[in-house]
Every structure is written in C-alpha cells, then in structure tokens.
C-alpha cells in the first residue's frame, strides 16, 4: 500500500480523500457511480485488508445506483455486497438486489456425497426435496451422532476447487468452505498441499428407497398375550413396515444379538464394551423401550487348559414385547449351536443399506478386526460360526446367506470352509468359516461401506486400515505408471541415465528404473522400502472415536464454475461429512427497565441461566410459538399487529418500533411454502452466529436531552436483542436468488459479481421479491417481540415484580438487512443524472430502493417516518458492540440523509473470520475471562460459538461510533456495557 496526503491504495484500488473520514473510489469504466468509505485511518486499514473495497466497487455496477455506494465505518467483506454497505437504486429504472440485502454462501458441488443416518450416503443436491426429514452424520470427535438438517442452500455457478488427499479422497468445494484440521475449521482458501485435514473413512451404502411391505403384523403374535400386542401397537411397532425408522434400528439389534446376545426368560441381553453398549441402549430407547444400565462383572474362563479372568459388560431389556419382536425378526432363541436359524428371509426384499445394517452389527460382534499377516499386507477378516452336527445344514445355510448378501453388495469373499469338529458338553459341533477377500480394493470397499457397527474399536481399526490401504495402493499405482513410462521411453531410444534423471523426484530409485527398463514387469510393483509398515502407520496416524483419520492434502486445483450447495445441521458441532471430509456449517431492539446495576448484582447467574433456558437459541432453535399455517400467514401479513392481538405485545411496543412493526407492502403469497414451513417452528428464537440477547447497564450519557427523551440514564439496566427472520428469511432470499438468476441472466452477465444478482425495477420478480422481503421483515419483528415477551416473563420471576413495575418498555426496534422504498433528495447534473451532492447543479426527490446490508436506518429529527415519540429529537439508532466492549445508542444525525441516505453503522464489524476466531480463541477461556475480569456472564449453545464471537474478533466499536458521530450521520447519546449475554 502506498500512502500520500490525499490518496490510499489497497490491492490496486485507489481511494481519494474527500474530507476527514470520507474516502472515495472514483467512478471509472463500467461503474455507474463512485463509491465512498466512511472510516478513520485505523478502520480504513482494517477495511482495506479484505475484499470489502472490491465488493463496494462492484456494487456500483448495479443498474440505477444513485449518487454513490457507501461503506459504513464497521464495513467488512460479505458475499457480493459488503456488510456495512448502503446502496440506493432508482425504484423506476434501477433494480433490487437480494445480494445487496444479504444471504448465505453455498459451498459444495452437487455430486458431493453426504453421509446420513443408518450408513447411507446421498448427494447433497439430492437432499433439496426432503432435507428437513433427513439426518446427517456429525463427526463430533468423541462420536458421530446423527443430526437434523435445518438449512439447505443452492447457488448457480460458483468457482469450485477439487481437494485431493494422499489417500485419494476428493471433494469439490468453494474457497469459503471450512474443512476440519488439527487447528479447527479452516476455510479452503487458507489451505494448501501438505496441510492436514480430517477424513472419515466410512462412507456407507448409496441410499435407496426400500420396497414397502409389512414385516410383522398382529397375526405374527396371535399366540401372545393381547397386552403384549397392545404394547407394541402403542409404540407404533405394529404393524412393522419395511420403511419404518424403528425397523432400521431393529435390524441392527437383531444382527448384533444373533452374534453376541442371549435371552433369559423375558429378558434380552447384549454383551460388549461399555461404549458400544451405550449405542445399543440408545437404539433400544429410540424404539420405545427402557434398557438397563451397563452391568459389569468379572468372569473366569478356561481355553485349552489355560485359565484367565476377564471383565464382562452387558445390558438388558426386561420387556417381553422387545424379546418377542427380536425373535420374530430372526434373533435365535435358546442355545445358538442347537438352533436351526438362518439369515432372516426378509433381507432379500430390503434395500442394500438395510442389509448392511444387519450384516455390520453381526460382524461387529463376530468378525475379526483388520490385522496384518505381514508388515504391509492384511489377513482376510473372517467370521466363524458353530452348530451342533445335527444342525450343520442350517449353520451352513446361515453362513452362505451372509456370503451371498455380501457378494450382492459388491464385496468378494474367500471360499466357505468347514474348519473342524469339536466334542463339547452339549454334543459334537462343527465350525464354519469364511473371510472377506483381502485384495486391497475389495477390503477397502468392505471397511468403508459395511464394516463393524456397535464396535468402536473395530471401527477405529477399520478406519486406519482403509486409509493405509488407499495410500499404499496410490503409491503402487504411481510406481506402476513410472515403470510403464520408463519402459516406453527406453523402447523409444531414451538413455537409461536420462530416464533416471526424469524420475529423480518420484518415489523410485535407480535400481527400480533399471529393472523396469531391462527386465520389464509382469506383476504390480510393491511399495517402496520407506513406505511405513501398518504397525508404524497406526502409531503415527491419529484416528478419533468418530472414525475421522488425520490425512494430508496432496493437491488443490481449480475446476471451473458449477452450481454449489450447502446444508446446516442442528448439532452444536455444526459439522457433517462430505465425501468423507469433515466440513462445517437481522435486526436489533432495545428494552429499557427501571432497574439499576445495583439491583441486578447477585442475580446475574440466575438471570443468564433463566434467559438461556427460556429463549430458544442455536441453529435449529425451535421457537416460543409453534405456528400453524394460519399463524404464519398472519405474522407475515400483519407483523406486530398480530403480536398485539395475541397478547404478546402492547400498544406502546408498536409505537416504538420502526414502521410500527408492520410493512404494509408485505405479500405473504409471494413467500414460498418451504420458507413458511421453515419459519413455522422458529417464531421466537435467537438463532446462531452473532445473534444474541444481552442484559446491559448504561455506563455513559453523552447527550442528556436526547437520553431523557429515550428514557435512558446512567446505571440503568437495558436489554438488547439482536436476531432476524431465521430460516424463513434465508429461504425467501434463496428462492428469489434462484429465480432472478434464471429470469434475468442477461442482467447478471453484465455484473462483475454474480452474487449481486438483481431484478430490474418494475419487473414481476422485483415486485414479488419486495413483497416477500417485506413479509419476512414482519416475521423478524414478531420474532424479536416474542423474545421480548419471554424476556419480560423471566425478569418478572427473577425480580418478583411484573414487567410494568419493572418499567420494561421498548426503546426502539430497527431492521438491519433490508431494502426499502424511500423518497430521498438526490443531486443531479444538467442531464438529470444522479451525482454526489457536491457535484450537483440541481436537486429532485426520487423514490429509491435503499439497500442496507448490515447497516441501520438513522433518520434525523423531523423526518415523518420517525415514530411520533421521537420525531422531535430523531430516530434511535442501536449499535451493538462485542460482548466484551459494550454497545451504543445513537440518534439519527442531521447529515445522514445527505451523506448516506439516512443510514449509519449497525455494529462493530468483524475483523476476523469465524474460522480464524476458533483457531485464536478457546470458548471456555473467553467465558472465564469475561466473568472474572469484566463481571460479564455468558451462556451459549457451545464453546465454539463463544470463540467465534470473542471480543477480539471485532473492530473497536468506540472508533466506529466516533466516526459516525463526527460525520453527523449518527450522534452519540449513551453507551452501555454487558452484564450477561446468551448466544446461539
């Protein structure tokens, strides 16, 4: 960067200083207007450190952009349009841009396969129609639970890159997509060849829809007590359908019990290691029965004359209904060696992934773990099975059934064999055995698609073995290629010395080249001597309990543009497995009270715990109100009026809300059913990310007259709520981005960034998007109002007084991410073209779409759209800071209309990505420091959330407000400081 008295340059973009705190990017080329940055020197350095300036300049290419695009002092890069950006476009011949309002980025190519519940894998693109009914596997370190999927997004044509590991795993993603590394989640553009990432070896079976049939019905239990039948019916286990989720869990239980379970009277027993038995307990509970705790006892054993003692762990279910269910599904009753059971016949009618559930749990109990016969080569994992001689045909059939099912899954097996006969106290037995072929690709296929369930230790071994074999095969394949090329070069007359030189950096030595040239190769080569033995590999390669193995990136290369997709899971880890790679995954209002800081001291922990318990938060969140279809329609159409009618708001609340809490332009009919469905269970929830509820105290008053009008004074307690329209608003934006990209591709092609997708003013899509967006704004106001209602109830319980006595009145509620039709005075030149005020020769009023992305409206005193209660002083402006630095209340400044279309900053503005924040900060440490040093009590869904929102990841809010105040676009009134904070 070069620095002179009048200009600054950042990454090739020159800014000219117009006056103190105002910098301009001059209009040139295809820009339709100049751009301006409002910042002090320290803030400008931070703004110039990312893509904010490039995005701001790109925004000036929007049709009808008026005067200039502006970046507020808290600006930072977003997607397409910078956060903290303001852009006004002509409402007659300009455009409206969802990208300039705000939306989430998408990350993976459509064919990327995501691991979902019950050992299945699905393309991420294929999740669109039913993602809310699906559950994704979440590699969470200690385990890999399944989680509901709350978000699904799609965007056309973004540049994707292929990431490849030394084991041959590949995935296609955009540069913003986070990958899990030993240092936490790291975005792809921060990774390079040689960096380490976690990959989950197990992929599962491609998803398939099972044929629907009745597996069991009441006729199968006609000899049982009717009460047992009623017990099964009440748990929705009769009739049992092949497509039922409970049936999938029962397949696992039957398979494992066949291998390592027993019945005793009405009791069903399962034996294994404690962590594996916990997984079995979860499945038993999930189908409606109550399992025992894990029992532990020491038992003495004798094998071949050798005596030893081992600890045995077990669980049981005492429900006869469960026992009878397992028996009828194929679990053998009585002595297994004396039984004539075979594999359940219904397996022949099931989808592959269902068959794999049964096989994998039986193998988890009975098959040997992966092991080596020599340093680098593996045994065939095998399973043995004993039957009395008189039951040998049934035993043989059982084993051959297992072989057949494996073969139908594409997994080769070794020859079935009768191993031995043995005299036992129960009679003469015969032992059968078969193994999975140890040919490398076949063994990898078995370990990564079927493997071992209910056996964590074998699954960890399988993960390591699969990764080892894949790396080994890649090295062998590369050496085979070199041998073939070396021989071809020699046949073409190239000297051996030259061939050796060409392959000097490859995994071969001179002797290998010589043998390839002179002798040729009739078999595949072996790995080089330096390739590690499996035992060495196990010692050096970390593998987690969730099956994720640490591996190394071998290559990252650009592929071009493709449609991209993303999902969001409800689990706190916010991670899922895509192609095995572990990847991740508004507005504000203030409520004043008549409490003082002294009143609240000693109650902080009770207050934060109660607020956290009573205000839903997190990615999924749930809601305070379970809205039916009529409720959602009413909220979208009437906003805060609905809340008033339902008893969640007061007349005073509406009077102190922007637009009185209702956008009259709202058109619920233009909101998709999918968006409405997503919002239905989120009414009254904070969400995640930087959304929060914070109890604060007023520490400073800068303008006593305005503060008095706002009802603020020093040491007073206030509550700040920052959240938006949740999944509904996200879906509205996603829906219209798709439609606009398809319907107005010509306009999109003329823009420098496709994330600025816009619809021409006056077009059908522009009108529909505006109506749907206004409906989403209504939803957001109601969302914050319901949180306000619940917050009032919490304060009433904690301080034993009703909300009215506590003076819990709404100060103001203002939207942050919005495009609004507003009439503004615009400077024009002699052609009537809008120009900056200083260049204007005339002025005229025009209706504009004012896009405020991460910016807040800041109308001055006297403006007709300021609520009557504040019209004499100006609109309240609320600027949240970080949870360790405080927030501000401003008032719309006299210069805001002339400089920023009546706008100012909306917060402190990030200087560090969420990924970088989690690498820099530890959530629990941040919480402890805030409590011990600043007496701020923080409660969040996870430590990662706290780390992402640590005070150090934000700009200096004091500096942001100083610039706003100095420019007269938002004047300081009061400063607040956190007391307690809850985050999603």
């Amino acid at each position: 960067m070069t620095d002179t008295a009048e200009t600054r340059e950042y990454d090739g973009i020159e800014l000219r200083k117009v006056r103190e705190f105002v910098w301009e990017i001059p209009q040139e080329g295809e820009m339709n207007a100049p751009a301006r940055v409002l910042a002090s020197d320290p803030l400008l350095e931070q703004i110039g450190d990312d893509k904010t300036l490039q995005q701001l300049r790109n925004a000036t290419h929007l049709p009808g952009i008026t005067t200039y695009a502006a970046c507020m002092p808290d600006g930072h890069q977003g997607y397409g349009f910078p956060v903290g950006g303001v852009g006004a476009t002509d409402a007659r011949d300009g455009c409206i841009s969802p990208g300039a309002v705000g939306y989430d980025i998408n990350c993976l190519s459509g064919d990327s396969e995501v691991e979902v519940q019950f050992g299945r894998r699905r393309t991420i693109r294929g999740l669109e129609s039913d993602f809310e009914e699906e559950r994704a596997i979440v590699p969470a370190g200690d385990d890999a639970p399944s989680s509901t999927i709350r978000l699904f997004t799609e965007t056309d044509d973004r540049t994707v890159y292929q990431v490849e590991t030394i084991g041959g795993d590949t995935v296609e993603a955009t540069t913003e997509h986070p990958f899990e590394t030993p240092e936490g989640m790291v975005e792809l553009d921060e990774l390079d060849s040689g960096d380490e990432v976690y990959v989950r070896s197990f992929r599962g079976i491609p998803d398939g829809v099972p044929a629907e049939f009745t597996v069991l019905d009441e006729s199968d239990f006609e000899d049982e007590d009717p009460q047992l039948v009623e017990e099964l019916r009440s748990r929705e286990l009769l009739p049992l359908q092949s497509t039922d989720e409970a049936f999938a869990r029962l397949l696992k239980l039957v398979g494992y019990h066949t291998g390592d379970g027993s019945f005793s009277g009405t009791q069903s027993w399962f034996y294994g290691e404690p962590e594996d038995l916990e997984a079995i307990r979860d499945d038993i509970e999930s189908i409606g029965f109550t399992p025992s705790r894990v029992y532990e006892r020491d038992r003495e054993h004798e094998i071949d004359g050798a005596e030893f003692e081992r600890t045995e762990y077990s669980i049981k279910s005492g429900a006869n209904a469960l026992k009878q269910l397992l028996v009828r599904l194929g679990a053998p009753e009585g002595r297994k060696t004396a039984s004539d059971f075979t594999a359940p016949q219904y397996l022949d009618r099931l989808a592959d992934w269902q068959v794999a559930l049964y096989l994998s749990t039986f193998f988890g109990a009975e098959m040997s773990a992966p092991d080596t016969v020599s340093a680098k080569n593996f045994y065939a994992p095998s399973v043995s099975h004993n039957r009395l001689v008189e039951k040998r045909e049934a035993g043989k059939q059982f084993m051959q059934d297992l072989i057949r099912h494996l073969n139908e899954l594409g997994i080769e097996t070794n020859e079935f064999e009768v191993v031995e006969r043995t005299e036992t106290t129960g009679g003469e037995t015969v032992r059968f055995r078969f193994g999975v072929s140890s040919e490398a690709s076949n063994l990898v296929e078995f370990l990564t698609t079927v493997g071992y369930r209910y056996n964590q230790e074998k699954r960890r071994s399988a993960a390591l073995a699969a990764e080892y074999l894949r790396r080994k095969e890649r090295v062998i394949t590369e050496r085979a290629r070199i041998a073939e090329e070396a021989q071809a070069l020699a046949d073409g007359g190239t000297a051996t010395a030259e061939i050796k030189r060409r392959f000097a950096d490859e995994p071969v030595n001179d002797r290998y080249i010589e043998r390839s040239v002179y002798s040729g190769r009739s078999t595949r080569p072996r790995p080089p001597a330096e390739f590690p033995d499996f035992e060495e590999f196990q010692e050096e390669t970390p593998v987690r309990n969730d099956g994720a193995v640490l591996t190394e990136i071998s290559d990252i290369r650009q592929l071009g543009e493709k449609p991209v997709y993303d999902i969001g899971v409800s689990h706190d880890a916010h991670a899922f497995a895509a192609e095995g790679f572990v990847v991740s995954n508004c507005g504000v209002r203030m409520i004043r009270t008549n409490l003082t800081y002294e009143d609240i001291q000693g109650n902080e922990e009770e207050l934060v715990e109660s607020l956290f318990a009573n205000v839903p938060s997190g990615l999924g969140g749930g809601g305070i109100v379970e809205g039916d279809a009529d409720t959602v329609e009413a909220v979208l159409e009437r906003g805060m009026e609905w809340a008033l009618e339902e008893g969640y708001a007061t007349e005073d609340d509406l009077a102190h809300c922007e637009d009185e809490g209702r956008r009259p332009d709202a058109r619920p009919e233009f909101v998709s059913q999918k968006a409405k469905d997503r919002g239905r269970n989120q009414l009254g929830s904070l969400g995640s990310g930087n959304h929060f509820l914070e109890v604060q105290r007023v520490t400073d008053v800068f303008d006593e007259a305005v503060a008095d009008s706002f009802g603020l004074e020093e040491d007073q307690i206030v509550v700040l709520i920052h959240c938006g329209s949740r999944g509904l608003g996200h879906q509205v934006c996603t829906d219209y981005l798709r439609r606009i990209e398809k319907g107005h591709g010509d306009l999109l092609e003329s823009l420098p960034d496709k994330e600025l997708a816009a619809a021409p003013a006056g077009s059908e899509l522009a009108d529909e998007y505006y109506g749907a967006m206004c409906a989403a704004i209504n939803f957001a106001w109601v969302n914050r109002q319901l949180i306000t209602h619940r917050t009032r109830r919490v304060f009433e319980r904690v301080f034993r007084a009703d909300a009215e006595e506590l003076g819990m009145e709404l100060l103001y509620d203002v939207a942050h991410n919005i495009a609004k039709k507003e009439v503004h005075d615009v400077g024009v030149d002699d052609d009537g073209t809008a120009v900056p005020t200083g260049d204007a020769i005339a002025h005229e009023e025009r209706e504009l779409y004012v896009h405020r992305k991460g910016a807040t409206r800041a109308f001055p005193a006297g403006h007709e759209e300021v609520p009557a209660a504040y019209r004499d002083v100006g609109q309240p402006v609320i600027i949240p800071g970080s949870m360790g630095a405080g927030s501000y209340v401003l008032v719309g400044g006299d210069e805001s209309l002339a400089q920023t279309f009546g706008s100012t900053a909306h917060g402190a503005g990030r200087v560090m990505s969420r990924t970088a924040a989690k690498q820099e900060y530890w959530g629990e440490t941040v919480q402890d420091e805030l409590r011990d040093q600043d007496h701020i009590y923080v409660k969040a869904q996870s430590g990662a959330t706290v780390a992402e929102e640590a005070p150090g990841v934000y700009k200096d809010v004091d500096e942001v407000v100083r610039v706003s105040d100095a420019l007269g676009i938002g004047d300081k009134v009061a400063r607040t400081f956190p007391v307690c904070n809850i985050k999603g």
Side-chain angles (χ1 to χ4, degrees):
M1 184 200 79
T2 59
D3 187 358
T4 70
E6 297 297 330
T7 64
R8 300 282 178 89
E9 185 176 314
Y10 298 88
D11 197 21
I13 298 177
E14 185 175 274
L15 293 94
R16 177 176 57 84
K17 189 171 185 178
V18 177
R19 59 181 181 279
E20 187 69 12
F21 303 138
V22 179
W23 298 83
E24 183 168 284
I25 303 173
Q27 181 179 351
E28 60 184 12
E30 300 297 317
M31 294 171 65
N32 293 319
R36 288 194 173 179
V37 180
L38 312 181
S40 62
D41 285 351
L43 294 175
L44 187 61
E45 290 294 322
Q46 293 172 328
I47 289 170
D49 196 38
D50 58 24
K51 298 177 182 177
T52 304
L53 299 177
Q54 180 64 57
Q55 291 179 340
L56 185 66
R57 185 168 65 179
N58 289 345
T60 65
H61 292 69
L62 286 169
I65 192 87
T66 299
T67 309
Y68 45 73
C71 176
M72 299 299 104
D74 59 337
H76 59 93
Q77 80 178 54
Y79 301 121
F81 198 82
V83 179
V86 176
T89 57
D90 195 290
R92 293 173 301 174
D93 54 19
C95 67
I96 185 170
S97 170
V101 173
Y103 64 100
D104 288 345
I105 199 66
N106 308 288
C107 305
L108 300 169
S109 66
D111 292 330
S112 300
E113 291 188 321
V114 175
E115 186 183 352
V116 294
Q117 191 178 28
F118 300 129
R120 297 171 295 131
R121 62 179 192 259
R122 298 182 61 181
T123 64
I124 192 168
R125 176 173 49 214
L127 289 169
E128 178 178 10
S129 62
D130 63 345
F131 72 91
E132 290 176 312
E133 301 166 15
E134 191 58 271
R135 297 181 69 88
I137 295 301
V138 178
D142 289 335
D143 59 359
S146 64
S147 171
T148 54
I149 301 173
R150 292 294 189 182
L151 300 177
F152 177 90
T153 59
E154 174 188 0
T155 293
D156 288 339
D157 296 336
R158 284 184 52 80
T159 301
V160 298
Y161 294 76
Q162 183 185 74
V163 184
E164 186 171 11
T165 70
I166 57 176
D169 296 296
T170 62
V171 69
E172 297 174 4
T174 58
T175 56
E176 300 88 353
H177 203 90
F179 287 74
E180 187 169 11
T181 75
E183 288 74 41
M185 288 291 180
V186 177
E187 292 180 2
L188 178 56
D189 64 356
E190 298 177 25
L191 294 173
D192 205 345
S193 299
D195 289 336
E196 292 180 317
V197 294
Y198 280 103
V199 172
R200 182 169 154 84
S201 293
F202 186 81
R203 305 297 164 77
I205 301 285
D207 190 31
V209 179
E212 187 168 2
F213 62 92
T214 300
V215 185
L216 296 173
D217 60 21
E218 293 183 21
S219 66
D220 294 292
F221 296 84
E222 58 187 8
D223 295 333
E224 296 295 333
D225 187 329
Q227 186 173 348
L228 182 147
V229 174
E230 179 57 34
E231 191 175 345
L232 292 174
R233 189 189 299 115
S234 68
R235 289 176 169 83
E236 298 184 351
L237 297 172
L238 279 184
L240 184 65
Q241 302 294 325
S242 60
T243 52
D244 290 345
E245 181 175 314
F247 178 57
R249 298 183 188 278
L250 285 163
L251 282 169
K252 294 195 288 177
L253 294 172
V254 171
Y256 191 85
H257 195 278
T258 300
D260 217 347
S262 67
F263 294 116
S264 176
T266 63
Q267 298 174 345
S268 306
W269 287 86
F270 298 82
Y271 306 93
E273 293 302 313
E275 63 268 25
D276 305 319
L277 294 173
E278 289 296 342
I280 295 173
R281 291 182 78 255
D282 289 344
D283 278 332
I284 292 174
E285 286 184 333
S286 293
I287 60 175
F289 295 99
T290 303
S292 71
R293 62 177 176 83
V294 176
Y295 296 112
E296 175 183 346
R297 67 170 178 169
D298 294 327
R299 299 194 64 179
E300 294 182 354
H301 297 267
E302 181 180 336
I303 298 179
D304 298 330
E307 295 183 354
F308 63 95
E309 186 177 281
R310 65 183 291 269
T311 301
E312 179 185 85
Y313 300 94
S314 60
I315 63 168
K316 70 175 181 179
S317 167
N320 188 38
L322 177 60
K323 175 195 173 179
Q324 298 304 327
L325 197 59
L326 296 177
V327 168
R328 283 160 179 79
L329 288 173
E333 192 173 13
R335 285 180 58 209
K336 293 174 185 174
T337 56
S339 175
D340 57 5
F341 74 91
T342 59
Q345 292 185 3
Y346 56 73
L347 292 180
D348 290 323
R349 303 176 66 183
L350 301 183
D352 287 349
W353 62 267
Q354 292 176 304
V355 175
L357 289 177
Y358 175 88
L359 295 176
S360 62
T361 51
F362 179 75
F363 295 151
E366 295 296 309
M367 183 175 276
S368 62
D371 198 6
T372 50
V373 64
S374 62
K376 295 181 175 67
N377 297 302
F378 282 79
Y379 282 112
S382 62
V383 59
S384 299
H385 184 69
N386 296 327
R387 292 288 178 102
L388 291 175
V389 170
E390 56 266 31
K391 299 293 183 181
R392 63 181 178 274
E393 288 304 315
K396 179 180 178 181
Q397 184 63 51
F398 174 68
M399 294 290 274
Q400 289 180 333
D401 286 342
L402 300 184
I403 291 171
R404 177 171 57 84
H405 286 304
L406 276 172
N407 294 163
E408 290 172 352
L409 292 175
I411 296 166
E412 297 178 4
T413 54
N414 292 336
E415 187 176 346
F416 172 74
E417 54 185 342
V418 179
V419 181
E420 62 183 2
R421 292 191 178 205
T422 305
E423 284 292 339
T424 69
T425 55
E428 186 181 9
T429 63
V430 60
R431 183 155 68 100
F432 306 105
R433 183 175 66 194
F434 75 86
V436 173
S437 169
S438 60
E439 189 277 324
S441 62
N442 183 74
L443 188 50
V444 169
E445 181 72 8
F446 169 74
L447 297 174
T448 60
T449 62
V450 179
Y452 313 87
R453 281 188 177 81
Y454 291 154
N455 195 311
Q456 192 174 89
E457 188 55 40
K458 288 181 183 178
R459 287 175 74 87
R460 284 166 52 87
S461 295
L464 282 169
E467 177 67 15
Y468 179 82
L469 285 168
R470 289 162 67 98
R471 294 189 194 181
K472 176 184 166 185
E473 284 304 299
R474 279 175 62 82
V475 170
I476 290 173
T477 299
E478 181 65 6
R479 284 165 65 83
R481 178 191 65 80
I482 292 169
E484 184 178 342
E485 290 184 9
Q487 192 169 28
L489 287 169
D491 292 343
T494 305
T496 303
E498 172 61 17
I499 296 173
K500 291 178 180 178
R501 187 189 65 76
R502 290 195 186 189
F503 294 108
D505 295 329
E506 303 288 356
V508 294
N509 56 26
D510 288 351
R511 175 62 179 152
Y512 181 87
I513 296 295
E514 290 170 358
R515 291 183 61 191
S516 300
V517 168
Y518 299 129
S519 306
R521 291 187 176 274
S522 58
T523 60
R524 298 189 76 217
R526 292 176 295 181
E530 62 269 19
F531 191 82
D533 297 344
F534 182 61
E535 183 177 349
E536 179 186 350
F537 177 81
Q538 284 181 296
E539 293 175 355
E540 295 178 351
T541 306
V543 57
R544 304 189 310 200
N545 287 338
D546 63 7
V549 177
L550 193 63
T551 188
E552 186 178 303
I553 294 174
S554 62
D555 185 50
I556 301 174
R557 62 189 180 92
Q558 184 174 330
L559 295 182
E561 292 192 342
K562 293 185 179 183
V564 289
Y565 305 78
D566 200 10
I567 60 173
V569 297
S570 302
H571 193 278
D572 290 346
H574 301 311
F576 60 97
E579 299 291 353
F581 290 80
V582 182
V583 296
S584 254
N585 180 127
C586 63
V588 65
R589 66 167 42 193
M590 179 175 281
I591 306 156
R592 57 192 174 221
T593 77
N594 58 23
L595 294 167
T596 66
Y597 184 47
E598 183 179 355
D599 294 329
I600 215 163
Q601 287 179 296
N603 295 299
E604 296 96 336
E605 290 196 45
E606 179 186 0
L607 189 57
V608 76
E609 293 289 344
S610 187
L611 287 170
F612 189 77
N614 285 277
V615 177
S617 61
L619 184 61
I624 290 170
V625 172
E626 287 293 330
D628 57 21
D630 291 341
T631 297
V632 174
E633 289 288 334
V635 167
L636 292 171
E637 182 177 0
R638 303 203 305 277
M640 288 271 283
E641 290 178 5
W642 173 87
L644 178 64
E645 294 165 6
E646 296 296 321
Y648 297 111
T650 66
E651 293 279 3
D652 186 72
D653 290 334
L654 273 66
H656 291 82
C657 186
E658 180 179 348
D659 297 331
E660 296 186 344
R662 181 188 181 191
R663 289 295 302 158
D665 296 323
R667 299 291 296 275
E669 65 269 29
F670 295 147
V671 176
S672 71
Q673 189 59 49
K674 180 179 285 189
K676 293 172 182 176
D677 289 343
R678 290 181 63 183
R680 184 174 297 181
N681 71 338
Q682 294 183 331
L683 268 171
S685 59
L686 279 177
S688 58
N690 65 340
H691 294 160
F692 63 85
L693 185 156
E694 190 167 85
V695 179
Q696 306 173 329
R697 59 188 172 103
V698 178
T699 57
D700 302 274
V701 170
F702 306 105
D703 188 321
E704 292 188 3
V706 177
D708 185 61
S709 296
F710 289 174
L712 297 175
E713 59 185 24
E714 286 190 14
D715 217 34
Q716 178 184 4
I717 293 297
V718 295
V719 181
L720 196 61
I721 297 170
H722 180 207
C723 63
S725 52
R726 299 300 319 278
L728 181 141
H730 180 280
Q731 190 64 48
V732 165
C733 202
T734 298
D735 290 339
Y736 281 94
L737 278 169
R738 293 179 192 164
R739 293 181 61 191
I740 289 170
E741 286 167 355
K742 292 175 182 177
H744 296 288
D746 53 343
L747 173 54
L748 189 62
E749 289 300 320
S750 70
L751 297 173
D753 190 337
K754 292 183 179 180
E755 291 168 3
L756 288 171
S763 67
E764 181 178 344
L765 272 179
D767 292 342
E768 290 186 10
Y769 170 62
Y770 188 69
M773 182 190 61
C774 288
I777 295 167
N778 285 346
F779 187 96
W781 276 320
V782 172
N783 188 45
R784 291 191 288 275
Q785 183 61 43
L786 290 171
I787 295 172
T788 298
H789 173 76
R790 185 62 64 86
T791 300
R792 285 168 171 162
R793 300 292 83 82
V794 168
F795 268 71
E796 286 177 339
R797 288 194 295 273
V798 171
F799 296 103
R800 296 173 178 81
D802 64 37
E804 188 174 348
E805 290 178 82
L806 295 171
M808 298 191 73
E809 299 174 343
L810 180 62
L811 170 62
Y812 197 59
D813 184 306
V814 61
H816 277 172
N817 292 349
I818 192 171
K820 294 182 72 173
K821 284 184 180 179
E822 297 172 358
V823 176
H824 286 267
D825 183 69
V826 175
V828 295
D829 62 15
D830 54 1
D831 294 327
T833 302
V835 295
T837 303
D839 301 326
I841 62 171
H843 291 263
E844 63 181 51
E845 289 191 341
R846 289 187 181 178
E847 186 176 53
L848 308 173
Y849 284 118
V850 181
H851 298 75
R852 298 185 179 97
K853 179 178 180 178
T856 186
R857 198 180 74 172
F859 285 172
H863 197 289
E864 62 182 9
E865 292 190 38
V866 176
Y870 303 127
R871 198 163 297 159
D872 289 344
V873 293
Q875 175 208 310
V877 176
I878 303 162
I879 309 286
S882 74
M883 57 189 173
S887 302
Y888 280 85
V889 179
L890 312 183
V891 65
D894 292 338
E895 296 297 317
S896 68
L897 292 174
Q899 293 195 53
T900 59
F901 300 100
S903 313
T904 190
H906 88 308
R910 298 187 74 91
V911 293
M912 188 182 296
S913 71
R914 298 186 186 282
T915 298
K918 285 186 286 190
Q919 295 175 22
E920 181 76 18
Y921 299 100
W922 187 253
E924 286 76 6
T925 302
V926 173
Q927 283 178 292
D928 291 345
E929 290 177 351
L930 288 171
R931 183 187 63 245
D932 297 341
Q933 298 176 18
D934 299 311
H935 307 292
I936 301 169
Y937 295 79
V938 177
K939 183 83 172 178
Q941 289 286 349
S942 69
T945 298
V946 178
E948 289 174 359
E949 297 298 310
V953 309
Y954 283 94
K955 294 182 175 71
D956 182 351
V957 70
D958 297 335
E959 187 70 1
V960 169
V961 170
R962 183 175 79 90
V963 172
S964 177
D965 184 75
L967 289 173
I969 58 176
D971 303 335
K972 291 195 299 184
V973 176
R975 186 177 186 274
T976 63
F977 194 76
V979 175
C980 57
N981 177 299
I982 69 169
K983 283 189 173 294

